[in-house]
Amino acid sequence: MANTYEEVYQHSIEDPEGFWSGVAEDVHWYKKWDQVLDTSDAPFYRWFVGGELNTCYNALDLHVDRGRGDTVALIYDSPVTDTIKKYTYAELRDEVARFAGVLAEQGVGKGDRVVIYMPMIPEAAIAMLACARIGAVHSVVFGGFAAKELATRIDDAEPKAIVSASCGIEGSRIIEYKPLLDKAITLSEVEPETCIVFQRPQVTASLVAGRDHEWRALMAEAAPVDCVPVAATDPLYILYTSGTTGKPKGVVRDNGGHAVALKWTMKAIYDIDEDDVWWAASDVGWVVGHSYIVYAPLFKGCTTVLFEGKPVGTPDAGVFWRVISEHDVKCMFTAPTAYRAIKREDPEAKLINDYDISNFEILFLAGERSDPDTIQWSENNLDVPVIDHWWQTETGWAIAANCMGLHHFPVKYGSATKAAPGWDVQVLGPDGTPRSPGEIGDLVAKLPLPPGTLSTLYNAEARYKEAYLQEFPGYYKTADAGYIDADDYIHVMARTDDIINVAGHRLSTGAMEEVLADHPDVAECAVLGVVDTLKGEVPVGFLVLNAGVDRDPQEVVDEVIQMVRDRIGPIASFKKATVVDRLPKTRSGKTLRGTIRKIANNQPYNVPATIDDPSILDEMADALEEIGLAKARDEEAS
């Protein structure tokens, strides 16, 4: 069987049905598929048609039945509650089977939707797997999300049940969930039949009689239930991602293709075997949490770490090293922003010396563009390969990666390496014609997409076509801009709306950010385009300095302006930058460039529902005013 990257990749592109049917043999099926790929309703492609399986069985019961029930499946590590708890595969299977019984007792069955609004506690994963066990469709909403945003998701998903907790813990802050949930239900047009609330010691939530039930009380009375076979093409979950119209898009993931692709990625991309310890430092509310905290590692049979904490402040910038050391983590996956936060607090990485991380082998980064400075800092201090890779909520797994289980390619800073097997990635111009190597354009993937990717948008097939398929017929539009070089390395430069047009020249803000991040005093940065009457758009930079930097901020600004001029050229027109204490970000660590741009251009804006701290927007407006932008602050901003 082919095993080098080139052989595997070519097989996946030239004979996708043969390739994926071979991969699918590693998954447990109650009934094998009749057809590997159904193209009869293109562009709605379906994988493993006629096949029947159960996602929860593949994640838990299969390992127990094969004699690995005593292997640790999940480690809950919560520095914010000073808790470490381990579940074996048998113990987790039993908890999940019992909670599946709870859901069944509440009338939840195959095809019913269940909204899960939970913090990073084991019960969140248990609820997800319990839904999968009985064929219900879960829709996880990030814990602590605003009531209005939760309400829009309730209205769209129309859940029979909602599973929540009394509170979440963000650093040192306790966030009560139940008042947000109650308000969301009041705002929504759909009322769930039942709400199940896990009471945490920090807060006891008040329950609505007749509708709300306490998790532990129901678990004490419930009988465990077995896995229910579902069609490979049946939905496993709906995960909402932000939409440009204000209405979130419900990405639908199927059961069969998802299990096949994700289990395969654990070895092929991440080089993880069944006895390894794996840690994805993300949140179950995001796609990384779905794919790589819960499903993929459990499909593989390894140990997954579920971490309730922050990279800094819980208690310090050494917590990642403590978790890696204490649990013997082989491979970690997180967002670059986490390592930038650590680098800012501990620029010389002195806290690593307090821990033995000698068994740590690989660090993977994704979720936003990984700047070369952060990758190099991590390489130098961890002494392991640091692998940037590229994927999206919609894709569910990597579009491009250095597939460490197939071949370790040399790292090119700023590149996510090569297309992952199954992905035919191309670069097209606005008219749909191919770009030459090294030329920036729209990054697209040729249809059909591989298994495990979105099958459609929930109750919005027309929107699915419009958002992803309409602009480039025959291709999936990633909405990312970049180029493929002569070595077939993919360079993701920016979202397509972050490519700016300066006096007719299309320039990447990501390329400028690379230059700024290379300054020794800069911890992190952002560059975005603002309106200019002469040149159309000009770039503006925002710099966050490393802890302990004691210099005149204007000196740093002058230096980075000169660096951009030297490395990119006067054509960039990079003449304005400012130092700020922090950048506005989503809870998952993405910098809110679009919102900053609107503030700079005096355009109305709404405070994004995903923002970590709304007060940062006022700080950004003040900083912009100091450099002559955002002069007429929009009083309508809300």
Side-chain angles (χ1 to χ4, degrees):
M1 183 177 174
N3 54 19
T4 69
Y5 167 81
E6 286 82 3
E7 291 170 332
V8 171
Y9 183 77
Q10 285 306 316
H11 186 194
S12 74
I13 299 301
E14 293 170 3
D15 179 19
E17 293 182 50
F19 176 78
W20 289 111
S21 65
V23 172
E25 294 294 338
D26 198 29
V27 168
H28 172 273
W29 299 87
Y30 297 112
K31 176 182 176 291
K32 284 287 181 70
W33 53 91
D34 301 318
Q35 190 176 3
V36 180
L37 175 63
D38 178 5
T39 62
S40 63
D41 191 27
F44 298 96
Y45 297 95
R46 301 193 306 162
W47 288 94
F48 305 108
V49 174
E52 292 183 4
L53 76 165
N54 183 276
T55 290
C56 181
Y57 184 87
N58 275 282
L60 299 175
D61 303 65
L62 180 64
H63 307 298
V64 178
D65 291 350
R66 288 179 174 175
R68 299 185 67 248
D70 291 336
T71 300
V72 175
L74 184 144
I75 300 171
Y76 169 52
D77 189 307
S78 171
V80 296
T81 61
D82 195 26
T83 303
I84 293 175
K85 185 175 182 181
K86 298 181 180 181
Y87 294 79
T88 65
Y89 272 93
E91 289 168 342
L92 191 57
R93 189 270 317 267
D94 292 348
E95 287 286 304
V96 167
R98 192 170 295 278
F99 191 67
V102 167
L103 292 174
E105 282 289 319
Q106 296 299 315
V108 177
K110 196 179 201 177
D112 290 331
R113 275 80 58 212
V114 177
V115 165
I116 299 173
Y117 184 63
M118 299 278 273
M120 281 291 288
I121 55 178
E123 288 72 20
I126 288 166
M128 293 166 70
L129 289 158
C131 289
R133 192 172 189 84
I134 58 173
V137 181
H138 64 68
S139 184
V140 182
V141 179
F142 184 90
F145 228 19
K148 180 184 173 189
E149 295 300 319
L150 177 56
T152 63
R153 288 151 174 80
I154 292 171
D155 280 340
D156 197 64
E158 298 180 311
K160 181 168 279 190
I162 296 178
V163 182
S164 189
S166 59
C167 69
I169 304 169
E170 291 282 326
S172 59
R173 291 182 299 147
I174 293 175
I175 299 171
E176 293 193 37
Y177 284 6
K178 192 57 167 43
L180 295 168
L181 175 57
D182 289 340
K183 185 178 179 183
I185 293 173
T186 302
L187 291 171
S188 65
E189 297 176 8
V190 176
E191 180 160 359
E193 294 177 13
T194 184
C195 293
I196 301 167
V197 179
F198 182 80
Q199 300 279 22
R200 303 190 72 183
Q202 293 79 11
V203 171
T204 301
S206 58
L207 304 182
V208 175
R211 185 195 75 190
D212 298 349
H213 307 274
E214 204 279 314
W215 174 295
R216 291 184 183 86
L218 293 181
M219 285 287 275
E221 301 294 325
V225 298
D226 286 332
C227 297
V228 174
V230 300
T233 51
D234 282 345
L236 169 66
Y237 69 74
I238 304 164
L239 180 57
Y240 289 94
T241 185
S242 300
T244 53
T245 64
K247 183 181 179 183
K249 297 179 290 190
V251 169
V252 178
R253 200 86 65 207
D254 69 7
N255 275 272
H258 174 260
V260 170
L262 261 65
K263 184 173 186 178
W264 172 82
T265 65
M266 287 304 290
K267 180 61 180 178
I269 296 178
Y270 302 105
D271 198 24
I272 289 292
D273 294 304
E274 64 180 19
D275 289 321
D276 291 331
V277 181
W278 158 268
W279 178 24
S282 181
D283 191 283
V284 291
W286 311 126
V287 69
V288 174
H290 283 59
S291 293
Y292 291 106
I293 295 176
V294 180
Y295 287 115
L298 295 178
F299 289 151
K300 187 63 182 174
C302 64
T303 301
T304 184
V305 176
L306 189 148
F307 175 71
E308 186 184 28
K310 298 283 188 184
V312 296
T314 61
D316 56 29
V319 67
F320 275 18
W321 324 136
R322 193 270 300 164
V323 172
I324 290 169
S325 174
E326 188 162 348
H327 304 306
D328 206 19
V329 173
K330 174 184 175 180
C331 182
M332 180 188 190
F333 174 177
T334 192
T337 191
Y339 273 73
R340 283 196 286 268
I342 295 168
K343 174 171 159 281
R344 188 187 183 198
E345 291 292 314
D346 184 19
E348 297 178 19
K350 292 178 179 176
L351 291 171
I352 289 181
N353 297 326
D354 295 341
Y355 303 98
D356 177 5
I357 61 169
S358 57
N359 290 320
F360 186 55
E361 293 185 14
I362 315 172
L363 169 64
F364 278 85
L365 300 174
E368 57 180 322
R369 196 156 180 276
S370 298
D371 58 285
D373 187 60
T374 299
I375 293 176
Q376 290 167 332
W377 182 89
S378 304
E379 286 174 336
N380 292 337
N381 290 294
L382 296 173
D383 196 27
V384 298
V386 179
I387 308 299
D388 184 16
H389 62 325
W390 168 50
W391 53 298
Q392 304 174 326
T393 299
E394 291 86 349
T395 70
W397 58 282
I399 305 170
N402 206 332
C403 295
M404 297 296 282
L406 299 175
H407 182 79
H408 181 188
F409 286 99
V411 168
K412 289 189 183 185
Y413 299 121
S415 171
T417 316
K418 302 193 180 195
W423 290 93
D424 185 349
V425 180
Q426 300 180 26
V427 182
L428 302 180
D431 59 355
T433 57
R435 292 293 204 193
S436 302
E439 191 177 2
I440 289 180
D442 281 83
L443 289 162
V444 299
K446 192 173 182 181
L447 299 177
L449 297 184
T453 55
L454 82 167
S455 55
T456 187
L457 294 177
Y458 188 65
N459 287 336
E461 289 193 349
R463 190 180 182 193
Y464 167 70
K465 290 181 182 177
E466 180 189 350
Y468 303 109
L469 310 177
Q470 188 170 289
E471 188 171 348
F472 301 104
Y475 296 90
Y476 164 79
K477 181 180 78 169
T478 69
D480 280 319
Y483 64 92
I484 299 175
D485 67 20
D487 298 321
D488 293 327
Y489 278 59
I490 295 170
H491 301 253
V492 184
M493 301 306 294
R495 298 295 285 172
T496 49
D497 56 7
D498 288 330
I499 296 292
I500 62 174
N501 195 318
V502 180
H505 302 285
R506 282 168 57 83
L507 298 170
S508 164
T509 54
M512 296 183 215
E513 288 179 5
E514 275 190 19
V515 177
L516 269 56
D518 205 28
H519 190 288
D521 293 335
V522 174
E524 60 179 332
C525 60
V527 176
L528 50 94
V530 298
V531 174
D532 181 79
T533 53
L534 180 63
K535 297 188 175 183
E537 286 180 290
V538 292
V540 175
F542 300 86
L543 314 172
V544 178
L545 303 185
N546 286 316
V549 172
D550 186 21
R551 297 181 60 197
D552 180 352
Q554 188 58 46
E555 289 182 12
V556 180
V557 168
D558 292 343
E559 288 166 5
V560 298
I561 288 173
Q562 187 59 45
M563 287 168 68
V564 172
R565 187 178 181 87
D566 292 343
R567 298 190 194 180
I568 296 178
I571 192 174
S573 293
F574 185 79
K575 298 174 182 176
K576 284 189 177 181
T578 185
V579 172
V580 294
D581 287 335
R582 51 190 182 154
L583 295 170
K585 295 184 179 183
T586 66
R587 292 188 183 94
S588 64
K590 289 184 171 67
T591 301
L592 291 162
R593 290 172 174 82
T595 305
I596 305 171
R597 187 186 300 112
K598 287 180 178 177
I599 297 172
N601 290 328
N602 298 308
Q603 296 172 337
Y605 68 91
N606 294 315
V607 176
T610 54
I611 193 168
D612 190 37
D613 183 353
S615 67
I616 304 178
L617 296 180
D618 288 333
E619 297 172 18
M620 296 304 295
D622 291 340
L624 284 160
E625 284 183 27
E626 289 178 10
I627 57 173
L629 297 167
K631 291 175 183 174
R633 180 108 42 108
D634 190 338
E635 299 298 330
E636 307 261 326
S638 60

